[in-house]
Amino acid sequence: MKITTWRHWGARWPGMAAILLALHASGAAEAKTSLGQPIEPAQQYALALEAQTQGDYAAMLAWLRAAARADHAPAQRMLGIALIGGPALYGPAQPADLCEGRAWLLRAARQNEGPAQDVAYALFGRPRDALTAHCEPA
């Protein structure tokens, strides 16, 4: 009787080993706490666009700020417009900040010619207007 039990167990051993190995590997993957490489500004910008699509504007602004601080011009441009548009674009929970929005648009405009330059000039070209005159030292 004992011989048949061992034969029966021996036939199941490879399957059990595979299951145990899979469980061990999945536990190791879940236990890994770091995300690996830091994400790039372009990835942060993509996460901001995804948050915007989902209506999570606080997350959108956080991702935009992270990418904008890393000199990602599209993120700087979008952050500037989001801060200037504030409640008109994203509802009353998002206050407008003309000075910070202006600063991000001008920073994006200094990086490259093109749409960022046009937006910044159209909104904040000289002479200074009354809305943003207090943003710069005299």
Side-chain angles (χ1 to χ4, degrees):
M1 193 134 202
K2 288 186 179 185
I3 295 174
T4 59
T5 305
W6 284 109
R7 286 183 191 162
H8 185 67
W9 175 253
R12 292 188 180 185
W13 171 246
M16 292 295 283
I19 290 172
L20 289 173
L21 183 62
L23 287 174
H24 176 71
S26 69
E30 289 177 16
K32 187 176 179 182
T33 57
S34 85
L35 294 175
Q37 298 293 327
I39 61 175
E40 298 292 321
Q43 294 169 320
Q44 294 170 333
Y45 180 66
L47 289 170
L49 294 176
E50 185 175 335
Q52 180 189 28
T53 302
Q54 295 174 354
D56 187 357
Y57 302 126
M60 176 193 76
L61 289 175
W63 285 117
L64 284 175
R65 278 193 172 94
R69 285 186 196 109
D71 290 330
H72 190 263
Q76 291 171 341
R77 188 178 316 117
M78 184 174 172
L79 179 59
I81 292 171
L83 290 170
I84 290 170
L89 294 174
Y90 302 110
Q94 173 56 46
D97 188 342
L98 294 178
C99 292
E100 186 184 359
R102 176 183 187 275
W104 285 116
L105 282 175
L106 292 175
R107 190 168 165 184
R110 283 191 294 269
Q111 283 193 42
N112 57 2
E113 302 293 325
Q117 186 92 0
D118 295 341
V119 170
Y121 182 77
L123 292 173
F124 304 113
R126 299 283 185 225
R128 291 185 294 184
D129 61 3
L131 292 174
T132 60
H134 67 281
C135 295
E136 288 182 14

